[in-house]
Amino acid sequence: MSETRPRGGWLIGLSLFVAFALSILPMPLPAEALRPQWVAMVVVFWCLHTPERIGVFSAFASGVALDVISGTLLGQHALTLSLLAYLVVELHQRIRIFPMWQQTLFVWVLLLAERLLTLWVLGATGQPMPALSYWAPTFLGLIFWPWLSALLGDLGRRAGTL
């Protein structure tokens, strides 16, 4: 009997590693506020396309790792990524049938929700409110989502993950 184990799990780990690297890559100070939410977008992609392999617990672990490498409040990203993963896993069958432009708008709303929840955590911990540029990464996520989705989708099909 042959084993029916899913292939391509390495791609999920590699894409998360690249997203972590892009999240901490040094950037010029003016561009720092414009850094897209790479880890959130990668987690949303894999929860959308492989919800049986990547879910709330994987998103929580990714969030804790992002908290550690970025030096933010421990649990901040874990909370927001867990919420994103829960919403995507619950709605993945509906979202996947949307055309790309509607899927992109849905992901944008998720990225806005992630930022709003992070803003709530900042306020609850007494940290100063960020500038208006705090919302810019969501718009970059809106722009990058179709390309990220196409790239990871193509790589996932080639690796046997999707």
Side-chain angles (χ1 to χ4, degrees):
M1 283 187 164
S2 66
E3 215 176 300
T4 59
R5 208 172 84 189
R7 302 177 344 185
W10 60 269
L11 181 61
I12 296 170
L14 179 65
S15 63
L16 281 169
F17 178 79
V18 169
F20 287 132
L22 288 171
S23 295
I24 62 169
L25 189 70
M27 294 177 68
L29 195 55
E32 188 70 35
L34 301 175
R35 184 185 309 269
Q37 299 154 282
W38 294 113
V39 176
M41 289 192 297
V42 169
V43 166
V44 165
F45 177 84
W46 290 118
C47 286
L48 184 61
H49 292 281
T50 59
E52 68 282 351
R53 296 179 77 182
I54 300 296
V56 176
F57 294 118
S58 300
F60 182 83
S62 298
V64 169
L66 186 59
D67 289 331
V68 170
I69 65 171
S70 65
T72 57
L73 181 67
L74 191 61
Q76 176 179 324
H77 289 105
L79 173 67
T80 59
L81 290 179
S82 298
L83 177 69
L84 285 182
Y86 174 76
L87 290 172
V88 172
V89 168
E90 284 296 314
L91 300 171
H92 81 277
Q93 291 179 341
R94 294 179 188 154
I95 301 167
R96 287 181 64 179
I97 62 171
F98 288 167
M100 182 52 73
W101 71 270
Q102 286 179 336
Q103 208 178 84
T104 302
L105 289 177
F106 182 80
V107 169
W108 180 57
V109 169
L110 287 174
L111 294 176
L112 284 171
E114 188 268 341
R115 281 308 221 186
L116 195 58
L117 191 55
T118 300
L119 189 65
W120 175 75
V121 170
L122 291 175
T125 57
Q127 296 179 23
M129 288 295 134
L132 194 57
S133 62
Y134 173 79
W135 300 99
T138 62
F139 293 106
L140 289 172
L142 175 72
I143 293 168
F144 288 143
W145 174 256
W147 284 284
L148 180 70
S149 180
L151 175 69
L152 289 177
D154 184 50
L155 291 173
R157 280 185 289 283
R158 289 181 187 199
T161 305
L162 300 179

